[in-house]
Amino acid sequence: MLYWRDGELIQSAYQDLCHLMRDVNGKETIAIDPKLFETLWGTQAFVARYGIDTPLEILSGYRTPASNQKLREAGVPAARQSLHMEGRAADIRLANLNSEVLGGLVRSFRQGGVGFYYRSGPKGGWIHTDTGLNRTWKG
C-alpha cells in the first residue's frame, strides 16, 4: 500500500495502515509512528529481494493501556511503559525465517529497539521492533 509520496504521508492510506495496527481487544486506533511503518516496509522489501514473498506477520501493534495490562496479568512479557501504547512498536515474525536473522535485519536499520523472543513450537518466537532508543534484549 502506497502511504508516502513526494515526502508526504498520503493521509487516507496512512489511516488505513493505522487501522490495521489497531488494538486487537478494544479495536481502538492511534496514530502510528511513520518510522515504524518504514521499518516494517523495509523488512518486507529486503527479504523480497531474496525471494521471500511470505508476508510479514504483525502479532501486535497498538495496545491500549488496558490491553497491555491484560497481557502482563496473563504472564506475557509486556513492559509497564510499553511503546506499543504510544503507537511506536510492533511484534512481528516471518514464517520460515529464523528469528535471529529477522531480528538482525531489523536491528541493521537502527530505527530503535529490537527484542528477541524465542519460543519453541510450530509458530516459534517473534521480534519486537520499536522507534525508541537503539537497544536490544532477549525476552
Side-chain angles (χ1 to χ4, degrees):
M1 172 184 301
L2 182 66
Y3 67 95
W4 190 269
R5 183 179 340 164
D6 299 328
E8 296 200 12
L9 281 173
I10 300 170
Q11 278 303 315
S12 60
Y14 173 72
Q15 293 302 323
D16 288 346
L17 288 172
C18 290
H19 180 74
L20 287 173
M21 299 279 285
R22 70 191 176 278
D23 179 83
V24 295
N25 295 307
K27 308 294 186 213
E28 291 179 45
T29 62
I30 192 173
I32 302 296
D33 186 343
K35 286 183 181 178
L36 182 61
F37 288 133
E38 288 176 26
T39 296
L40 300 176
W41 179 87
T43 301
Q44 188 74 67
F46 187 90
V47 299
R49 291 195 337 220
Y50 293 93
I52 300 173
D53 57 3
T54 308
L56 190 66
E57 185 179 359
I58 299 171
L59 306 173
S60 181
Y62 169 63
R63 292 185 203 143
T64 64
S67 290
N68 199 65
Q69 183 59 31
K70 239 189 221 180
L71 289 174
R72 291 178 55 75
E73 290 168 359
V76 175
R80 287 186 197 283
Q81 301 299 319
S82 174
L83 291 176
H84 285 275
M85 297 187 297
E86 297 178 21
R88 297 178 58 201
D91 294 336
I92 61 173
R93 71 175 156 219
L94 198 57
N96 304 318
L97 188 62
N98 176 296
S99 294
E100 194 72 35
V101 173
L102 177 59
L105 170 60
V106 172
R107 201 166 118 200
S108 74
F109 297 144
R110 299 185 181 277
Q111 289 292 321
V114 178
F116 295 78
Y117 291 86
Y118 300 105
R119 302 292 184 267
S120 58
K123 296 215 174 206
W126 68 92
I127 297 299
H128 166 98
T129 180
D130 66 48
T131 60
L133 298 173
N134 284 331
R135 67 215 185 286
T136 60
W137 67 93
K138 292 185 178 169

